[in-house]
Structures are given as C-alpha cells and as structure tokens.
Amino acid sequence: MSKKICLTGVKPTEMPHLGNYIGAIKPAIEMSNNGEYDGYLFIADYHSLIGVHKGNDLRDYIYEVAAVWLACGLDPEKTTLYKQSDIPEILELNWILNCFSSKGILNRAHAYKAKVADNEEHGRDQDYGINAGLYNYPTLMAADILFIDSDIVPVGEDQIQHIEITRDIANAFNHHYGDILKLPEAKAREGALLPGLDGRKMSKSYHNHIPLFIPEKKLKKMINKITTDSTPPEAPKDPNESLIFDIYKFFATKEEQEALAKRYQEGIGWGHAKLELFDVVNAELAPMRERYDLYMSDKSLIDKILEDGAQKVREKASAKLKTIKQAIGVSN
Ligand code: ADP
Ligand code: TRP
C-alpha cells in the first residue's frame, strides 16, 4: 500500500523564533524524516502576498524560510519542498473551488472576521483595508491541500478552522461530481509552549521572542534579557520557579537538567544560569546556523531544490486537474 500523503504549508514572513522551532519546525522535521508519510512542505508565497506588498521583502522571506527549514534538517529527498507560486495548477483549482465555497463560511473565517471586528471596534467601515485575498484565504488553502490528495495536514491550532473549511469545500464539490477530492484530516500540533523573555508564551505579537538564527553574540545578549528577580546569587533557588530553567528544559538533556537543578539548590547567580542556558541553546543552533548561512550565501542551492520540488509536484498536479476539469465539463 502506498504511504499516506502528509502536507503542510508555511507562510514566508520574518525569521521564525525559538518557539516556532520547538513547537512546529523541529517536530515536523522529525516526523518527515521518519519516513512514515509521503511528505510535502511548501512555501505559501501567494498567501503572504495578502499582506506583503514589497517585492524585495517577499523575495527575501521566501529564501529565508526555505533556508531555515533546510538548515533545521529538512531532507528534500524525503520531503518534497516547493513554492506554491511555482504550481499554477493550484491557482486554476483555486478558481474552481471558489465556485463551491459558501460565502457565508468565508464570512466566518477567523482572520477575516477578526479584521472586520477590529474595524467595527474602531468605528471604521467594516471592510476597511481588507483585500479579497484575505477573504479568499481559506479557499486558496483548500486548493493547496486538495490538488495533491493530502491525507494529513499538520497545523497549529489557529489553522484547524481552515482545514474544516477545506473539507466543506471538498464535500460541496464531491456532492456534484462524485468522490474526486479527498477529505484531509488536520493534525493539530500539541506539546508544551516555549516561554519568551518575559515568561509569557514566546510570540512575535508579544515582542518577547528570540529569532532562530542571529549571530552568537546577539543570542547571548537576548538571553541576558530574560526577566529575573533580585534573589542574591548564593540563595538556594527552586528550578521549577525559574523562567531560565523552563527554557533550559527544551534544549538540555536529562543529565544536564539534573546538574543545573543541583546548582540551583546550592545557589547560583542568574548571570551564571543564563550562561548555562546560552550554552545549550547555542550548541543546538550553531551547526544549523552555519548551514543557514551557507544556503543564504548561495541561493542557487535553494533555487535548485525548489525547482526539483516543483517539477515533481506539477506532474501530480496536472493529472489531478485533468480529472477535475473533465468532471466539471470544461474539458473532454
Ligand atoms: P507567533 O505567536 O509568534 O505569531 P505563529 O502563530 O506564527 O507564532 O506560530 C506558528 C506555529 O509555531 C504555531 O502554530 C505553533 O505550532 C508554533 N509556536 C508558536 N509559538 C510557540 C511557542 N512559544 N512554543 C511552542 N510552539 C510555538
Ligand atoms: N495558513 C497557514 C499558516 O498561516 C499556511 C498555509 C497555507 C497552509 N496553505 C496551507 C498550511 C495548506 C497547511 C496547508 O500557517
């Protein structure tokens, strides 16, 4: 039996942070490298176009996101990496699916709804500053997923609604033409959340994040910004009450954690604890940072991988689109 298809997309925006790495990138790569699924990871550049309207910015983000995933260990032999905009069939399917997407459901999609609510709160016209791309975001996502018969779609919690919408659209299509589109399952990412510099969940929106690949010196500086209290260095400390230790756990081995916990009990200055944290974080990131810099200094390496990925995917895309176009009656 052939393997199940596991597909996910990432929007090219600014550099991911350590929380994204721990919660999304690292587990996705572990999953794709274990060979259980036929894996696809694509760069959702047309989704970013909804908000990024500077060509050079979008170009940079696309390379950065590709370089991040490759540097973190994505193996393009095992997981096909491609760019959404290289697959024109996705856009053809997008239009077709628009004709099966209920406007009422799109009205309720969370990103659009949140913008409308924000406009209303500020006394503006409800559609102020909203482009139709944002409105149709879920339909483009449905095309991303359905063109390749995806079985499993790993996503963050906030994206589950979009997978539900994809299933609705596929059902509406299949209702007319038979079982042509495969209904995907969302696989919600779960697991502990990495705290940020102030102790809340690390998030771009809280500005408490550490970007994944920054120079070593900068990483050390950022780790030094972690909020601590004024307990004197010699006082015994409880590792379970320490933000530094909370972050440490995500990067250190069991033995390293036990050793640092012991030092906490004996009394450790926050400066020293931060140095220990820097050491484990940097040990994990340094080899990846080196690979990241390598890809970014020779972008043709990335171009080649994306081209190979697109070539592989387009074969499947055109076969699927042919079936769909025959079904809807625009081709024989
Ligand atoms: P942000 O909150 O910075 O905007 P995103 O929502 O873009 O982050 O996060 C993308 C994915 O990264 C999420 O779906 C989640 O799986 C993961 N993620 C984000 N922040 C964290 C965190 N602090 N700890 C663990 N995983 C996280
Ligand atoms: N909307 C997703 C996000 O913001 C990215 C995305 C686009 C995606 N198309 C997809 C994810 C298809 C999974 C499947 O994270």
Side-chain angles (χ1 to χ4, degrees), residues 17 19-20 23-24 156 158 189 192-194 201-204:
H17 53 69
N20 302 139
D158 62 321
R189 289 189 205 112
L193 289 175
L194 183 79
K201 163 196 175 221
M202 186 176 286
S203 170
K204 268 173 255 153

Side-chain angles (χ1 to χ4, degrees), residues 180-198:
I180 291 184
L181 301 177
K182 182 176 249 173
L183 268 54
E185 300 282 342
K187 187 168 189 284
R189 289 189 205 112
E190 45 200 46
L193 289 175
L194 183 79
L197 300 175
D198 59 359

Side-chain angles (χ1 to χ4, degrees), residues 102-122:
S102 129
K103 179 167 177 284
I105 286 182
L106 298 183
N107 287 340
R108 291 190 287 279
H110 69 83
Y112 169 71
K113 214 172 133 185
K115 282 255 188 188
V116 169
D118 185 58
N119 280 335
E120 282 170 349
E121 203 178 298
H122 290 88

Side-chain angles (χ1 to χ4, degrees), residues 7-11 42-44 47 84 137 140-142 144-145 153-156 158-159 162-163 189:
L7 166 137
T8 198
V10 278
K11 248 172 35 183
F42 71 94
I43 302 175
H47 275 109
Q84 182 185 37
Y137 191 109
L140 179 55
M141 228 173 118
D144 291 333
I145 294 169
V153 186
V155 281
D158 62 321
Q159 297 296 313
H162 292 150
I163 313 302
R189 289 189 205 112

Side-chain angles (χ1 to χ4, degrees), residues 236-255:
K237 297 175 178 66
D238 181 356
N240 298 317
E241 295 292 319
S242 157
L243 175 54
I244 300 172
F245 200 84
D246 280 347
I247 304 177
Y248 189 80
K249 282 190 277 193
F250 285 90
F251 294 90
T253 61
K254 274 266 164 298
E255 292 72 34

Side-chain angles (χ1 to χ4, degrees), residues 68-332:
V68 163
W69 281 81
L70 289 164
C72 289
L74 182 114
D75 177 353
E77 297 291 322
K78 292 187 178 148
T79 301
T80 307
L81 180 67
Y82 62 96
K83 205 166 65 171
Q84 182 185 37
S85 62
D86 281 340
I87 318 294
E89 289 83 359
I90 292 178
L91 293 190
E92 267 190 87
L93 182 58
N94 182 40
W95 175 257
I96 298 171
L97 296 181
N98 259 318
C99 302
F100 297 86
S101 304
S102 129
K103 179 167 177 284
I105 286 182
L106 298 183
N107 287 340
R108 291 190 287 279
H110 69 83
Y112 169 71
K113 214 172 133 185
K115 282 255 188 188
V116 169
D118 185 58
N119 280 335
E120 282 170 349
E121 203 178 298
H122 290 88
R124 296 187 289 251
D125 181 90
Q126 64 166 12
D127 280 333
Y128 173 81
I130 299 179
N131 61 46
L134 178 70
Y135 190 70
N136 288 310
Y137 191 109
T139 311
L140 179 55
M141 228 173 118
D144 291 333
I145 294 169
L146 297 172
F147 89 93
I148 201 161
D149 291 334
S150 308
D151 294 284
I152 312 273
V153 186
V155 281
E157 293 275 328
D158 62 321
Q159 297 296 313
I160 291 178
Q161 186 198 24
H162 292 150
I163 313 302
E164 296 299 325
I165 297 177
T166 298
R167 293 170 62 94
D168 280 339
I169 296 174
N171 265 324
F173 183 95
N174 287 348
H175 175 73
H176 293 278
Y177 306 108
D179 257 350
I180 291 184
L181 301 177
K182 182 176 249 173
L183 268 54
E185 300 282 342
K187 187 168 189 284
R189 289 189 205 112
E190 45 200 46
L193 289 175
L194 183 79
L197 300 175
D198 59 359
R200 291 183 290 173
K201 163 196 175 221
M202 186 176 286
S203 170
K204 268 173 255 153
S205 3
Y206 297 148
H207 303 292
N208 64 353
H209 61 290
I210 302 181
L212 190 52
F213 297 130
I214 45 176
E216 223 170 87
K217 270 199 183 138
K218 218 165 159 201
L219 177 66
K220 201 178 244 174
K221 259 195 170 159
M222 294 208 80
I223 287 180
N224 269 324
K225 286 195 203 155
I226 294 174
T227 314
T228 46
D229 59 21
S230 54
T231 326
E234 62 285 359
K237 297 175 178 66
D238 181 356
N240 298 317
E241 295 292 319
S242 157
L243 175 54
I244 300 172
F245 200 84
D246 280 347
I247 304 177
Y248 189 80
K249 282 190 277 193
F250 285 90
F251 294 90
T253 61
K254 274 266 164 298
E255 292 72 34
E256 286 167 331
Q257 292 179 42
E258 279 161 20
L260 188 62
K262 195 156 164 275
R263 286 183 63 195
Y264 264 67
Q265 279 138 18
E266 291 161 3
I268 184 172
W270 291 135
H272 284 116
K274 284 175 178 174
L275 264 182
E276 294 296 329
L277 174 60
F278 166 77
D279 282 344
V280 287
V281 174
N282 195 49
E284 181 152 349
L285 298 189
M288 300 193 288
R289 191 190 298 124
E290 219 167 277
R291 286 199 293 269
Y292 176 80
D293 291 342
L294 181 83
Y295 281 114
M296 290 305 279
S297 65
D298 183 1
K299 299 201 175 81
S300 68
L301 295 170
I302 300 177
D303 291 334
K304 173 83 176 69
I305 291 169
L306 292 178
E307 277 160 27
D308 288 351
Q311 202 183 357
K312 210 172 127 193
V313 164
R314 280 201 73 186
E315 272 176 37
K316 293 178 190 286
S318 73
K320 187 77 193 178
L321 198 63
K322 196 168 163 207
T323 310
I324 293 170
K325 285 169 92 168
Q326 281 168 345
I328 61 174
V330 298
S331 71
N332 297 319

